Amino acid sequence: MPILDVKNIRKRFGRLEVLKDISFSLEKGEVLSIIGSSGSGKTTLLRCLNFLERPDGGSIRVNDEVLLDCADPSTLKESQIRRKRLHFGLVFQSFNLFPQYTALDNVMLAPKLLAHENHTWDSVKQKVHDEAVELFANIGLSDRMSNYPHQLSGGQQQRVAIARALIMHPDILCFDEPTSALDPELTGEVLKVIRKLSEQKRTMIIVTHEMEFARDVADKVIFMDGGRICEQGEPHEVFGNPKEERTKQFLARYNQK
């Protein structure tokens, strides 16, 4: 049984149809790389999975639980959206850390707010703190926990953002161009963390323009074009022997760089 099952997701903004019947599945522990030109719908797909956008059609299942079925109005209630969003962790390309909080406080903020809602903060505070400290050790930033975002490099901020997503224990960790806002010399440290997560069998969806990384880290690859899945398969199939002409054109452009 797949951990994620996405069927016929559609999304339009006004007259522009951005996603056209997107369907795919993902097994627990697998890494999916999504590649394609800017404007092909990759980020919108991630935003739909994380309920930052509401699809106009289709369904989303996680662990065989129906999170969204556009044919069933009961799954569209705003009151349920926050709970459903917890199944996914999203790491944005622009970090989105709160500048008034330290790196440690940024990572602890979401579980703290959730615990306050449930009136359990006093009983879980130490556990959350200890887990955050362990995450900082895993991303190589134990000596930066008390720093504010402006005191961190872009690569360090993005690693803090990854820890912030991980502390919520999402079923699926999503990355939206995690290195696009970084200088080339800082890209490697973020990719190293993501590669380590893949070795730990974290279930992940990675939207990226880093073709070599997408090929090496993924179990599956999806190539999107014009709001559709143009081609999908294992990395050696999509990168080594693409079937669709549009995929060949796209990869040839990157191979020339």
Side-chain angles (χ1 to χ4, degrees):
M1 181 182 70
I3 189 173
L4 175 65
D5 190 25
V6 176
K7 290 190 182 300
N8 305 116
I9 291 294
R10 302 188 305 279
K11 179 65 182 177
R12 70 167 59 242
F13 296 105
R15 295 182 178 180
L16 179 62
E17 193 174 14
V18 181
L19 297 177
K20 307 169 184 177
D21 289 320
I22 300 294
S23 298
F24 66 91
S25 63
L26 196 59
E27 300 293 331
K28 184 176 177 63
E30 284 187 329
V31 178
L32 169 66
S33 290
I34 303 180
I35 60 174
S37 301
S38 297
S40 59
K42 307 183 302 296
T43 292
T44 300
L45 174 58
L46 284 191
R47 291 178 64 85
C48 286
L49 292 177
N50 284 270
F51 295 92
L52 297 175
E53 300 286 353
R54 180 172 292 181
D56 299 312
S59 65
I60 301 170
R61 286 176 176 262
V62 174
N63 288 324
D64 209 32
E65 175 190 351
V66 178
L67 300 190
L68 176 78
D69 183 349
C70 289
D72 181 0
S74 68
T75 68
L76 302 173
K77 294 179 180 177
E78 285 292 336
S79 59
Q80 300 177 5
I81 293 301
R82 184 181 297 181
R83 180 185 63 82
K84 293 177 178 180
R85 192 175 287 141
L86 293 175
H87 289 281
F88 297 88
L90 179 57
V91 179
F92 299 89
Q93 53 184 293
S94 55
F95 320 142
N96 289 354
L97 299 179
F98 291 102
Q100 69 272 33
Y101 296 135
T102 66
L104 179 62
D105 289 336
N106 264 281
V107 171
M108 292 179 60
L109 182 60
K112 180 179 181 179
L113 293 175
L114 187 63
H116 274 303
E117 281 187 8
N118 298 324
H119 308 289
T120 58
W121 178 237
D122 288 340
S123 61
V124 301
K125 182 180 356 182
Q126 189 60 50
K127 179 183 177 183
V128 171
H129 177 272
D130 292 346
E131 186 171 355
V133 170
E134 183 177 353
L135 283 169
F136 273 96
N138 289 339
I139 62 172
L141 290 176
S142 294
D143 59 339
R144 292 287 187 267
M145 291 190 297
S146 60
N147 286 63
Y148 288 87
H150 76 273
Q151 297 171 315
L152 302 173
S153 71
Q156 290 170 340
Q157 289 186 60
Q158 190 62 294
R159 283 186 278 164
V160 173
I162 293 171
R164 179 179 59 183
L166 287 171
I167 202 168
M168 296 303 292
H169 302 285
D171 293 300
I172 300 144
L173 189 58
C174 303
F175 295 87
D176 183 17
E177 299 286 3
T179 61
S180 66
L182 301 177
D183 295 332
E185 62 186 17
L186 299 178
T187 294
E189 65 187 55
V190 174
L191 296 183
K192 182 178 179 181
V193 171
I194 299 174
R195 193 182 298 276
K196 183 178 179 181
L197 292 172
S198 73
E199 292 169 354
Q200 296 170 352
K201 295 301 180 182
R202 295 270 185 177
T203 310
M204 296 187 286
I205 300 175
I206 306 170
V207 168
T208 183
H209 285 302
E210 300 282 343
M211 292 299 108
E212 184 176 353
F213 180 74
R215 181 191 64 207
D216 292 346
V217 79
D219 299 290
K220 295 179 179 177
V221 177
I222 283 176
F223 169 61
M224 291 185 64
D225 184 59
R228 301 181 188 276
I229 293 179
C230 186
E231 190 159 351
Q232 61 179 310
E234 295 181 10
H236 72 272
E237 296 171 333
V238 175
F239 286 97
N241 188 29
K243 297 180 178 61
E244 302 297 326
E245 187 60 34
R246 182 66 188 92
T247 315
K248 295 176 183 178
Q249 294 170 358
F250 174 81
L251 292 175
R253 188 180 70 193
Y254 274 95
N255 289 336
Q256 291 170 2
K257 292 184 178 181

